[in-house]
Amino acid sequence: MKIGVLAVQGAAREHLVAFGRLGVAAVPVLRPADLAGLDGIVLPGGESTAQWRLLSRAGLGEPLRAALLEGLPAFGTCAGLILLAREITNWPERYFGVLDVAVERNATGRQVDSFEARVRVDGLGEVPAVFIRAPAIRRVGPGVEVLGTHAGEPVLVRQGSLLGATFHPELTEDLRVHELFLGMCRKG
Amino acid sequence: MQKGTYRVKTGFAEMFKGGVIMDVTTPEQAQIAEEAGAVAVMALERVPADIRAQGGVARMADPKRIKEIMRAVSIPVMAKCRIGHTAEARILEALGVDFIDESEVLTPADPFHHIDKWQFRVPFVCGCRDLGEACRRLAEGAAMLRTKGEAGTGNVVEAVRHMRLLNDQIRRLKDMSRAELVTYAKELGAPVEILEMIQELGRLPVVNFAAGGIATPADAALLRMLGADGVFVGSGIFKSENPEKRARAIVLACTYYDDPELLAKVSEDLGEAMPGLEIEKIPEHALLQYR
């Protein structure tokens, strides 16, 4: 099992550490060649606009899109969810567009409104979560399951081999959401 | 639900890693920075090179200017307050800026203390020249650090000096016994508990960017090679001949710093860089890093 973590910009290190603690090999992904032999990929938090510009200008955009369309399991957290989403309600761009949800960028407001909370996840119970200038999931397509909620709103969703979170499980010690993703990679 | 916790503050800083934070003075410049791939902008009235040239007291920017910049972009907006100026910091927090830089680039307001940053919900980034300064800022509640360099000079030598010094001091810490660490803490003027934490981690406990004098993609790459998590570019972009192209090039160089071929490609034909200053020719009282 080998997991890649997109490392053009953002919190890749925290995901690499989380997989390390789970005893799973994880490698940073910066170039098309880094996609070879992966069983899954994490698109971490960061700035989605910066991440997209970097990966598209460095020639990683099309190979990664192709890998996602071929069914490479992917887990997007925060900015990573924005990169996966089919629609961004308050921004003119659309990135990979493979996960059938509509997201609103920076929906929780500015940094002074960022927060930590416990979210409810199906089968896991309460999971600690950090929300940083977090996006909100405003629409969920018919093939998308809502796995986690906070204050009645979806915060963790799954569509086949794609997982998306509006929060940052990698900023906590709790590894259960990463384990959930590893389970999806094993199936894939 | 808890807002403004230290984890929320330092976690936000983790999201900047590998990125470039650019000084901007207008909404148009902020949009250029966002389009180039900046991870945040620093809203200012004057870039450091102009502050240095014009002299006088440099203060927090006009809130109107900051709000215009906040409206113009979707990426985080930072703003600077004077060292120790708790009232300017409260104003910036009330405006909703995403990060406050308690900065030596502005004229210091308190000759004795920095701001007690634990009292704020908004996170702070502070400058440091060595491990002692880094630890003191952490003790005051800084959620992110940046090496100071010498702002507004377009000369990278001081940024390199401060990053090398930090690395060297952290390396020395690694093999120290408890007794040696206590003496070292006294030498550095650093709290023992914070030094112990750094010894255990083997690195600073928060994100540390490089700043002060970065003017080219190669400068950004050099600081990343030395271990900076990312870079601040102040005057280097909008004081150059072709800001759009230079900004994009610095963003790519910051991520692909270990790829010389890519660095060569993005460094080509960028037009004139900002004019530079030799540090030795600046009188000591005009150096910002000692503030």
Side-chain angles (χ1 to χ4, degrees):
Chain A
M1 172 83 91
K2 186 168 95 171
I3 303 296
V5 180
L6 181 68
V8 290
Q9 191 282 313
R13 179 175 70 200
E14 288 62 32
H15 283 288
L16 292 167
V17 168
F19 289 116
R21 286 175 56 207
L22 289 166
V24 171
V27 295
V29 172
L30 282 154
R31 297 171 177 84
D34 299 330
L35 293 169
L38 294 183
D39 298 295
I41 187 165
V42 172
L43 279 56
E47 278 307 314
S48 55
T49 52
Q51 291 177 343
W52 180 257
R53 279 153 184 72
L54 276 159
L55 65 89
S56 53
R57 286 169 194 164
L60 186 57
E62 285 315 309
L64 181 48
R65 185 194 301 274
L68 293 171
L69 291 173
E70 280 164 26
L72 176 68
F75 176 23
T77 56
C78 196
L81 166 67
I82 294 167
L83 293 188
L84 293 177
R86 180 151 305 167
E87 185 190 344
I88 308 169
T89 61
N90 57 344
W91 188 243
E93 297 177 325
R94 188 179 92 147
Y95 306 115
F96 294 117
V98 289
L99 177 60
D100 188 12
V101 293
V103 295
E104 180 185 337
R105 286 183 67 201
N106 305 330
T108 55
R110 306 204 72 98
Q111 172 60 15
V112 287
D113 296 312
S114 293
F115 61 95
E116 341 185 3
R118 298 185 75 80
V119 300
R120 292 212 58 83
V121 178
D122 285 359
L124 301 182
E126 285 200 343
V127 172
V130 183
F131 292 84
I132 294 176
R133 284 170 51 94
I137 298 169
R138 296 299 185 207
R139 181 185 63 75
V140 175
V144 179
E145 306 163 72
V146 174
L147 297 182
T149 54
H150 175 65
E153 298 293 321
V155 294
L156 182 68
V157 294
R158 179 169 60 193
Q159 171 195 305
S161 60
L162 303 174
L163 185 66
T166 62
F167 59 94
H168 296 278
E170 78 283 6
L171 294 178
T172 74
E173 303 295 306
D174 195 304
L175 298 168
R176 287 176 293 164
V177 179
H178 287 86
E179 282 177 319
L180 176 78
F181 177 59
L182 288 176
M184 291 165 54
C185 297
R186 282 192 193 100
K187 269 191 220 156
Chain B
M1 178 166 112
Q2 284 180 290
K3 294 181 178 180
T5 62
Y6 197 53
R7 178 151 68 178
V8 165
K9 293 174 177 176
T10 57
F12 181 33
E14 301 293 347
M15 302 304 145
F16 293 138
K17 287 199 301 268
V20 182
I21 299 171
M22 301 181 192
D23 278 6
V24 298
T25 58
T26 64
E28 295 71 32
Q29 289 183 354
Q31 284 165 347
I32 290 170
E34 180 173 57
E35 186 48 44
V39 291
V41 292
M42 179 76 71
L44 291 168
E45 262 179 27
R46 295 184 287 171
V47 293
D50 289 336
I51 291 174
R52 186 178 285 287
Q54 292 161 11
V57 173
R59 309 180 182 92
M60 173 188 83
D62 184 334
K64 181 167 178 270
R65 178 77 57 96
I66 295 169
K67 280 157 69 181
E68 285 167 358
I69 291 170
M70 285 167 61
R71 274 197 296 270
V73 290
S74 67
I75 56 177
V77 175
M78 298 185 166
K80 288 183 194 287
C81 74
R82 286 179 264 179
I83 290 174
H85 208 313
T86 305
E88 283 188 349
R90 284 293 179 203
I91 291 168
L92 294 175
E93 184 178 50
L95 289 173
V97 303
D98 296 294
F99 234 101
I100 296 177
D101 183 4
E102 188 183 17
S103 176
E104 72 284 358
V105 170
L106 304 184
T107 310
D110 187 327
F112 305 111
H113 305 293
H114 279 65
I115 294 169
D116 178 3
K117 294 167 272 288
W118 296 112
Q119 305 307 318
F120 286 75
R121 206 158 88 186
V122 66
F124 282 75
V125 54
C126 286
C128 62
R129 279 168 304 156
D130 60 21
L131 189 56
E133 226 172 23
C135 290
R136 292 193 293 278
R137 299 296 85 81
L138 291 170
E140 294 153 2
M144 177 177 174
L145 293 167
R146 55 173 177 77
T147 46
K148 284 180 174 174
E150 188 58 37
T153 60
N155 186 340
V156 81
V157 67
E158 295 302 294
V160 171
R161 184 193 309 281
H162 299 154
M163 196 57 75
R164 282 215 178 272
L165 195 53
L166 260 182
N167 288 344
D168 182 51
Q169 290 168 324
I170 293 169
R171 205 174 314 123
R172 283 177 60 193
L173 198 58
K174 274 185 190 160
D175 297 321
M176 282 186 190
S177 67
R178 163 94 193 168
E180 288 170 330
L181 185 142
V182 172
T183 309
Y184 196 42
K186 189 181 156 192
E187 212 178 286
L188 292 172
V192 171
E193 317 77 69
I194 291 178
L195 270 191
E196 281 176 337
M197 183 165 58
I198 294 168
Q199 186 183 45
E200 203 184 308
L201 276 171
R203 60 171 172 84
L204 291 168
V206 301
V207 166
N208 181 38
F209 270 40
I214 295 160
T216 68
D219 289 347
L222 176 62
L223 270 308
R224 291 279 280 143
M225 288 172 190
L226 291 172
D229 290 318
V231 299
F232 282 88
V233 186
S235 321
I237 290 168
F238 291 101
K239 283 285 162 189
S240 75
E241 192 184 334
N242 189 341
E244 288 92 340
K245 199 169 175 189
R246 184 168 294 267
R248 280 171 67 135
I250 292 176
V251 166
L252 273 163
C254 195
T255 292
Y256 293 97
Y257 63 91
D258 59 353
D259 182 342
E261 279 168 27
L262 185 139
L263 293 178
K265 204 168 87 187
V266 302
S267 299
E268 204 173 302
D269 195 26
L270 295 180
E272 282 288 314
M274 71 176 283
L277 291 174
E278 276 188 65
I279 305 298
E280 290 74 19
K281 302 228 167 102
I282 304 170
E284 197 161 327
H285 69 263
L287 290 171
L288 304 175
Q289 60 179 280
Y290 298 110
R291 290 172 164 179

